Amino acid sequence: MAPDELVRDSLGEVLAGTLVVAWLWVTLTMLLAESHVRQAVIVFGVLLTGIGASWWLTRRCLQLAVAAYLAALSCGLAVAVAGTGRSSSLYYFAVALPVAATLTTGRGTWTAAVLLACLTIATARWGNMPVSDTTGPLLLLLSLAGTLWVGSRRLHTALGWALNMATQAQRSASEAQERRAEVRRVLKSLEEAYARLERANEALIYAREVAERAYRFKADFVANVSHELRTPLNLIVGFSEMIATAPESYRGVPLPSEYR
């Protein structure tokens, strides 16, 4: 499977999981914290819009689909964190980083970490939180980004090797199929040649039999003709010799010189 197909499958699972988690969070908020219902509905609407846009872009442009989902997730987290007003909620931004590492490369992980760090600072100011409280979340984002980058680098290397091996195996399988097809064509040609050879042998045997019959017929014909012609030819030859050597026996008429 190609890397794009892996990312596409992972994105589909992440979208489904995010939709379920967002729905459960909204439901629990409505049941347990009625004062945050509006905030929960806004977050759910942002996530639902991003999930829909990402799902629509999945088959058209995978990079835009991933970007749309990550943007919706980051905006939803920003609204949720700003609504709580607690500095400890800033750690929630770290949730988006493993998702970004799953759907992007190492460069994409660091880009997402930088954007989430900027969003953390902006959310702290938006929620009237002390800027000093962002130190912990920022350090967590940076350390998590480094850890994910090292892990994803090894994973991407392994996936690259696996993809190369799969490509080589597929190429070898294609070559084997081509060689098998060639062998089948050669075998078919040999079978046809063998069939033609058998027919030629049969025709040769038949021609030999015909030749033998013709030879026997010729020998019989020559024997019969020679036997039938021997007697009258002997008579003709003997009569001719008698005329030539004894003209007086031919009624006493002398034989002309040209006949002699």
Side-chain angles (χ1 to χ4, degrees), residues 169-187:
Q170 186 176 4
R171 188 182 299 109
S172 300
S174 301
E175 293 178 355
Q177 291 178 356
E178 293 177 357
R179 297 294 181 272
R180 184 179 300 175
E182 292 178 358
V183 171
R184 288 179 179 176
R185 289 193 295 269
V186 171
L187 290 177

Side-chain angles (χ1 to χ4, degrees), residues 56-74:
W56 183 77
L57 291 171
T58 299
R59 296 296 176 183
R60 293 167 177 80
C61 183
L62 186 60
Q63 290 76 12
L64 289 179
V66 173
Y69 169 72
L70 293 178
L73 181 61
S74 301

Side-chain angles (χ1 to χ4, degrees), residues 36-92:
H36 295 84
V37 171
R38 181 185 178 190
Q39 175 189 353
V41 172
I42 294 174
V43 173
F44 183 75
V46 171
L47 292 177
L48 186 61
T49 302
I51 290 172
S54 179
W55 184 269
W56 183 77
L57 291 171
T58 299
R59 296 296 176 183
R60 293 167 177 80
C61 183
L62 186 60
Q63 290 76 12
L64 289 179
V66 173
Y69 169 72
L70 293 178
L73 181 61
S74 301
C75 293
L77 288 174
V79 174
V81 171
T84 59
R86 297 192 301 269
S87 300
S88 59
S89 300
L90 296 174
Y91 289 94
Y92 292 163

Side-chain angles (χ1 to χ4, degrees), residues 229-245:
L229 293 179
R230 188 178 296 118
T231 300
L233 288 176
N234 289 333
L235 292 175
I236 294 171
V237 171
F239 187 71
S240 300
E241 290 179 352
M242 183 185 68
I243 294 174
T245 58

